PDB file of all heavy atoms in Angstrom:
ATOM      1  N   LEU A1405      -5.185 -19.388   5.231  1.00  0.00           N
ATOM      2  CA  LEU A1405      -4.387 -19.907   4.136  1.00  0.00           C
ATOM      3  C   LEU A1405      -5.042 -19.461   2.824  1.00  0.00           C
ATOM      4  O   LEU A1405      -6.264 -19.425   2.703  1.00  0.00           O
ATOM      5  CB  LEU A1405      -4.322 -21.431   4.171  1.00  0.00           C
ATOM      6  CG  LEU A1405      -3.804 -22.092   5.457  1.00  0.00           C
ATOM      7  CD1 LEU A1405      -3.574 -23.578   5.208  1.00  0.00           C
ATOM      8  CD2 LEU A1405      -2.548 -21.425   5.955  1.00  0.00           C
ATOM      9  N   LEU A1406      -4.232 -19.120   1.841  1.00  0.00           N
ATOM     10  CA  LEU A1406      -4.771 -18.740   0.545  1.00  0.00           C
ATOM     11  C   LEU A1406      -5.564 -19.905  -0.061  1.00  0.00           C
ATOM     12  O   LEU A1406      -5.217 -21.077   0.146  1.00  0.00           O
ATOM     13  CB  LEU A1406      -3.646 -18.352  -0.411  1.00  0.00           C
ATOM     14  CG  LEU A1406      -2.885 -17.062  -0.096  1.00  0.00           C
ATOM     15  CD1 LEU A1406      -1.742 -16.886  -1.082  1.00  0.00           C
ATOM     16  CD2 LEU A1406      -3.807 -15.851  -0.154  1.00  0.00           C
ATOM     17  N   PRO A1407      -6.610 -19.609  -0.829  1.00  0.00           N
ATOM     18  CA  PRO A1407      -7.386 -20.676  -1.463  1.00  0.00           C
ATOM     19  C   PRO A1407      -6.550 -21.569  -2.370  1.00  0.00           C
ATOM     20  O   PRO A1407      -6.914 -22.723  -2.620  1.00  0.00           O
ATOM     21  CB  PRO A1407      -8.443 -19.904  -2.261  1.00  0.00           C
ATOM     22  CG  PRO A1407      -8.576 -18.597  -1.550  1.00  0.00           C
ATOM     23  CD  PRO A1407      -7.198 -18.276  -1.055  1.00  0.00           C
ATOM     24  N   THR A1408      -5.432 -21.034  -2.880  1.00  0.00           N
ATOM     25  CA  THR A1408      -4.576 -21.797  -3.779  1.00  0.00           C
ATOM     26  C   THR A1408      -3.702 -22.815  -3.045  1.00  0.00           C
ATOM     27  O   THR A1408      -3.065 -23.656  -3.681  1.00  0.00           O
ATOM     28  CB  THR A1408      -3.669 -20.852  -4.582  1.00  0.00           C
ATOM     29  OG1 THR A1408      -3.037 -19.939  -3.680  1.00  0.00           O
ATOM     30  CG2 THR A1408      -4.461 -20.075  -5.607  1.00  0.00           C
ATOM     31  N   VAL A1409      -3.638 -22.741  -1.715  1.00  0.00           N
ATOM     32  CA  VAL A1409      -2.843 -23.706  -0.950  1.00  0.00           C
ATOM     33  C   VAL A1409      -3.593 -25.034  -0.889  1.00  0.00           C
ATOM     34  O   VAL A1409      -4.673 -25.120  -0.313  1.00  0.00           O
ATOM     35  CB  VAL A1409      -2.544 -23.178   0.470  1.00  0.00           C
ATOM     36  CG1 VAL A1409      -1.801 -24.230   1.289  1.00  0.00           C
ATOM     37  CG2 VAL A1409      -1.718 -21.893   0.409  1.00  0.00           C
ATOM     38  N   SER A1410      -3.023 -26.050  -1.490  1.00  0.00           N
ATOM     39  CA  SER A1410      -3.678 -27.358  -1.553  1.00  0.00           C
ATOM     40  C   SER A1410      -3.740 -27.996  -0.169  1.00  0.00           C
ATOM     41  O   SER A1410      -2.958 -27.645   0.723  1.00  0.00           O
ATOM     42  CB  SER A1410      -2.906 -28.279  -2.495  1.00  0.00           C
ATOM     43  OG  SER A1410      -1.625 -28.590  -1.939  1.00  0.00           O
ATOM     44  N   PRO A1411      -4.661 -28.938   0.048  1.00  0.00           N
ATOM     45  CA  PRO A1411      -4.721 -29.637   1.333  1.00  0.00           C
ATOM     46  C   PRO A1411      -3.394 -30.292   1.705  1.00  0.00           C
ATOM     47  O   PRO A1411      -2.989 -30.277   2.869  1.00  0.00           O
ATOM     48  CB  PRO A1411      -5.821 -30.671   1.107  1.00  0.00           C
ATOM     49  CG  PRO A1411      -6.711 -30.051   0.082  1.00  0.00           C
ATOM     50  CD  PRO A1411      -5.780 -29.318  -0.838  1.00  0.00           C
ATOM     51  N   ALA A1412      -2.702 -30.857   0.714  1.00  0.00           N
ATOM     52  CA  ALA A1412      -1.418 -31.502   0.993  1.00  0.00           C
ATOM     53  C   ALA A1412      -0.385 -30.479   1.461  1.00  0.00           C
ATOM     54  O   ALA A1412       0.356 -30.713   2.426  1.00  0.00           O
ATOM     55  CB  ALA A1412      -0.919 -32.237  -0.249  1.00  0.00           C
ATOM     56  N   ASP A1413      -0.348 -29.319   0.781  1.00  0.00           N
ATOM     57  CA  ASP A1413       0.604 -28.282   1.185  1.00  0.00           C
ATOM     58  C   ASP A1413       0.214 -27.670   2.521  1.00  0.00           C
ATOM     59  O   ASP A1413       1.078 -27.268   3.307  1.00  0.00           O
ATOM     60  CB  ASP A1413       0.695 -27.192   0.112  1.00  0.00           C
ATOM     61  CG  ASP A1413       1.523 -27.634  -1.089  1.00  0.00           C
ATOM     62  OD1 ASP A1413       2.337 -28.564  -0.930  1.00  0.00           O
ATOM     63  OD2 ASP A1413       1.359 -27.047  -2.173  1.00  0.00           O
ATOM     64  N   ALA A1414      -1.081 -27.594   2.789  1.00  0.00           N
ATOM     65  CA  ALA A1414      -1.533 -27.084   4.087  1.00  0.00           C
ATOM     66  C   ALA A1414      -1.005 -27.970   5.211  1.00  0.00           C
ATOM     67  O   ALA A1414      -0.532 -27.473   6.242  1.00  0.00           O
ATOM     68  CB  ALA A1414      -3.057 -27.024   4.125  1.00  0.00           C
ATOM     69  N   GLN A1415      -1.052 -29.269   5.013  1.00  0.00           N
ATOM     70  CA  GLN A1415      -0.556 -30.194   6.038  1.00  0.00           C
ATOM     71  C   GLN A1415       0.965 -30.111   6.168  1.00  0.00           C
ATOM     72  O   GLN A1415       1.510 -30.183   7.276  1.00  0.00           O
ATOM     73  CB  GLN A1415      -0.974 -31.623   5.689  1.00  0.00           C
ATOM     74  CG  GLN A1415      -2.447 -31.908   5.867  1.00  0.00           C
ATOM     75  CD  GLN A1415      -2.915 -31.725   7.313  1.00  0.00           C
ATOM     76  OE1 GLN A1415      -2.173 -31.956   8.259  1.00  0.00           O
ATOM     77  NE2 GLN A1415      -4.163 -31.293   7.470  1.00  0.00           N
ATOM     78  N   GLN A1416       1.661 -29.950   5.052  1.00  0.00           N
ATOM     79  CA  GLN A1416       3.120 -29.930   5.081  1.00  0.00           C
ATOM     80  C   GLN A1416       3.675 -28.639   5.648  1.00  0.00           C
ATOM     81  O   GLN A1416       4.598 -28.659   6.471  1.00  0.00           O
ATOM     82  CB  GLN A1416       3.674 -30.151   3.682  1.00  0.00           C
ATOM     83  CG  GLN A1416       5.212 -30.114   3.628  1.00  0.00           C
ATOM     84  CD  GLN A1416       5.751 -30.374   2.232  1.00  0.00           C
ATOM     85  OE1 GLN A1416       5.016 -30.748   1.320  1.00  0.00           O
ATOM     86  NE2 GLN A1416       7.051 -30.173   2.059  1.00  0.00           N
ATOM     87  N   TYR A1417       3.119 -27.507   5.199  1.00  0.00           N
ATOM     88  CA  TYR A1417       3.694 -26.219   5.551  1.00  0.00           C
ATOM     89  C   TYR A1417       3.000 -25.546   6.739  1.00  0.00           C
ATOM     90  O   TYR A1417       3.570 -24.669   7.374  1.00  0.00           O
ATOM     91  CB  TYR A1417       3.655 -25.282   4.343  1.00  0.00           C
ATOM     92  CG  TYR A1417       4.554 -25.730   3.216  1.00  0.00           C
ATOM     93  CD1 TYR A1417       4.053 -26.474   2.155  1.00  0.00           C
ATOM     94  CD2 TYR A1417       5.906 -25.419   3.215  1.00  0.00           C
ATOM     95  CE1 TYR A1417       4.866 -26.893   1.114  1.00  0.00           C
ATOM     96  CE2 TYR A1417       6.742 -25.830   2.181  1.00  0.00           C
ATOM     97  CZ  TYR A1417       6.218 -26.568   1.138  1.00  0.00           C
ATOM     98  OH  TYR A1417       7.046 -26.979   0.112  1.00  0.00           O
ATOM     99  N   PHE A1418       1.767 -25.931   7.016  1.00  0.00           N
ATOM    100  CA  PHE A1418       1.007 -25.335   8.116  1.00  0.00           C
ATOM    101  C   PHE A1418       0.379 -26.451   8.959  1.00  0.00           C
ATOM    102  O   PHE A1418      -0.853 -26.538   9.069  1.00  0.00           O
ATOM    103  CB  PHE A1418      -0.086 -24.402   7.583  1.00  0.00           C
ATOM    104  CG  PHE A1418       0.410 -23.339   6.638  1.00  0.00           C
ATOM    105  CD1 PHE A1418       0.369 -23.536   5.259  1.00  0.00           C
ATOM    106  CD2 PHE A1418       0.919 -22.142   7.113  1.00  0.00           C
ATOM    107  CE1 PHE A1418       0.819 -22.557   4.383  1.00  0.00           C
ATOM    108  CE2 PHE A1418       1.362 -21.155   6.240  1.00  0.00           C
ATOM    109  CZ  PHE A1418       1.323 -21.362   4.874  1.00  0.00           C
ATOM    110  N   PRO A1419       1.169 -27.319   9.550  1.00  0.00           N
ATOM    111  CA  PRO A1419       0.617 -28.494  10.247  1.00  0.00           C
ATOM    112  C   PRO A1419      -0.280 -28.146  11.427  1.00  0.00           C
ATOM    113  O   PRO A1419      -1.127 -28.963  11.811  1.00  0.00           O
ATOM    114  CB  PRO A1419       1.881 -29.235  10.720  1.00  0.00           C
ATOM    115  CG  PRO A1419       2.951 -28.189  10.753  1.00  0.00           C
ATOM    116  CD  PRO A1419       2.638 -27.266   9.627  1.00  0.00           C
ATOM    117  N   ASP A1420      -0.135 -26.944  11.983  1.00  0.00           N
ATOM    118  CA  ASP A1420      -0.951 -26.553  13.133  1.00  0.00           C
ATOM    119  C   ASP A1420      -2.160 -25.705  12.740  1.00  0.00           C
ATOM    120  O   ASP A1420      -2.781 -25.073  13.598  1.00  0.00           O
ATOM    121  CB  ASP A1420      -0.092 -25.778  14.141  1.00  0.00           C
ATOM    122  CG  ASP A1420       1.034 -26.629  14.706  1.00  0.00           C
ATOM    123  OD1 ASP A1420       0.826 -27.843  14.854  1.00  0.00           O
ATOM    124  OD2 ASP A1420       2.121 -26.080  14.982  1.00  0.00           O
ATOM    125  N   HIS A1421      -2.486 -25.665  11.444  1.00  0.00           N
ATOM    126  CA  HIS A1421      -3.597 -24.807  11.032  1.00  0.00           C
ATOM    127  C   HIS A1421      -4.926 -25.341  11.575  1.00  0.00           C
ATOM    128  O   HIS A1421      -5.070 -26.535  11.876  1.00  0.00           O
ATOM    129  CB  HIS A1421      -3.650 -24.666   9.513  1.00  0.00           C
ATOM    130  CG  HIS A1421      -4.134 -25.868   8.767  1.00  0.00           C
ATOM    131  ND1 HIS A1421      -3.323 -26.925   8.404  1.00  0.00           N
ATOM    132  CD2 HIS A1421      -5.373 -26.191   8.304  1.00  0.00           C
ATOM    133  CE1 HIS A1421      -4.018 -27.820   7.756  1.00  0.00           C
ATOM    134  NE2 HIS A1421      -5.273 -27.416   7.689  1.00  0.00           N
ATOM    135  N   HIS A1422      -5.871 -24.425  11.697  1.00  0.00           N
ATOM    136  CA  HIS A1422      -7.191 -24.743  12.262  1.00  0.00           C
ATOM    137  C   HIS A1422      -8.253 -24.476  11.211  1.00  0.00           C
ATOM    138  O   HIS A1422      -8.308 -23.381  10.630  1.00  0.00           O
ATOM    139  CB  HIS A1422      -7.460 -23.866  13.496  1.00  0.00           C
ATOM    140  CG  HIS A1422      -8.871 -23.917  13.982  1.00  0.00           C
ATOM    141  ND1 HIS A1422      -9.362 -24.937  14.765  1.00  0.00           N
ATOM    142  CD2 HIS A1422      -9.919 -23.048  13.785  1.00  0.00           C
ATOM    143  CE1 HIS A1422     -10.632 -24.705  15.041  1.00  0.00           C
ATOM    144  NE2 HIS A1422     -10.996 -23.563  14.460  1.00  0.00           N
ATOM    145  N   THR A1423      -9.121 -25.458  10.948  1.00  0.00           N
ATOM    146  CA  THR A1423     -10.211 -25.289   9.993  1.00  0.00           C
ATOM    147  C   THR A1423     -11.502 -24.964  10.736  1.00  0.00           C
ATOM    148  O   THR A1423     -11.950 -25.736  11.594  1.00  0.00           O
ATOM    149  CB  THR A1423     -10.413 -26.563   9.154  1.00  0.00           C
ATOM    150  OG1 THR A1423      -9.203 -26.867   8.452  1.00  0.00           O
ATOM    151  CG2 THR A1423     -11.545 -26.377   8.153  1.00  0.00           C
ATOM    152  N   CYS A1424     -12.078 -23.820  10.426  1.00  0.00           N
ATOM    153  CA  CYS A1424     -13.326 -23.398  11.070  1.00  0.00           C
ATOM    154  C   CYS A1424     -14.497 -24.205  10.491  1.00  0.00           C
ATOM    155  O   CYS A1424     -14.617 -24.359   9.268  1.00  0.00           O
ATOM    156  CB  CYS A1424     -13.576 -21.913  10.836  1.00  0.00           C
ATOM    157  SG  CYS A1424     -12.303 -20.823  11.523  1.00  0.00           S
ATOM    158  N   LYS A1425     -15.358 -24.697  11.352  1.00  0.00           N
ATOM    159  CA  LYS A1425     -16.519 -25.453  10.922  1.00  0.00           C
ATOM    160  C   LYS A1425     -17.653 -24.507  10.537  1.00  0.00           C
ATOM    161  O   LYS A1425     -17.973 -23.574  11.276  1.00  0.00           O
ATOM    162  CB  LYS A1425     -16.980 -26.400  12.030  1.00  0.00           C
ATOM    163  CG  LYS A1425     -15.907 -27.383  12.507  1.00  0.00           C
ATOM    164  CD  LYS A1425     -15.403 -28.273  11.371  1.00  0.00           C
ATOM    165  CE  LYS A1425     -14.359 -29.258  11.874  1.00  0.00           C
ATOM    166  NZ  LYS A1425     -13.800 -30.078  10.766  1.00  0.00           N
ATOM    167  N   VAL A1426     -18.258 -24.746   9.381  1.00  0.00           N
ATOM    168  CA  VAL A1426     -19.365 -23.924   8.898  1.00  0.00           C
ATOM    169  C   VAL A1426     -20.479 -24.835   8.378  1.00  0.00           C
ATOM    170  O   VAL A1426     -20.238 -26.012   8.064  1.00  0.00           O
ATOM    171  CB  VAL A1426     -18.896 -22.964   7.779  1.00  0.00           C
ATOM    172  CG1 VAL A1426     -18.029 -21.859   8.348  1.00  0.00           C
ATOM    173  CG2 VAL A1426     -18.140 -23.725   6.695  1.00  0.00           C
ATOM    174  N   PRO A1427     -21.732 -24.322   8.310  1.00  0.00           N
ATOM    175  CA  PRO A1427     -22.861 -25.154   7.899  1.00  0.00           C
ATOM    176  C   PRO A1427     -22.681 -25.842   6.551  1.00  0.00           C
ATOM    177  O   PRO A1427     -23.182 -26.953   6.348  1.00  0.00           O
ATOM    178  CB  PRO A1427     -24.031 -24.158   7.859  1.00  0.00           C
ATOM    179  CG  PRO A1427     -23.649 -23.120   8.870  1.00  0.00           C
ATOM    180  CD  PRO A1427     -22.160 -22.974   8.745  1.00  0.00           C
ATOM    181  N   SER A1428     -21.993 -25.206   5.615  1.00  0.00           N
ATOM    182  CA  SER A1428     -21.834 -25.815   4.288  1.00  0.00           C
ATOM    183  C   SER A1428     -20.996 -27.080   4.328  1.00  0.00           C
ATOM    184  O   SER A1428     -21.083 -27.919   3.413  1.00  0.00           O
ATOM    185  CB  SER A1428     -21.171 -24.816   3.332  1.00  0.00           C
ATOM    186  OG  SER A1428     -19.811 -24.583   3.713  1.00  0.00           O
TER     187      SER A1428
END
Side-chain angles (χ1 to χ4, degrees):
L1405 304 190
L1406 291 176
T1408 50
V1409 176
S1410 67
D1413 283 338
Q1415 288 299 328
Q1416 179 178 351
Y1417 293 96
F1418 306 95
D1420 297 327
H1421 73 275
H1422 169 81
T1423 301
C1424 298
K1425 303 301 181 183
V1426 288
S1428 68

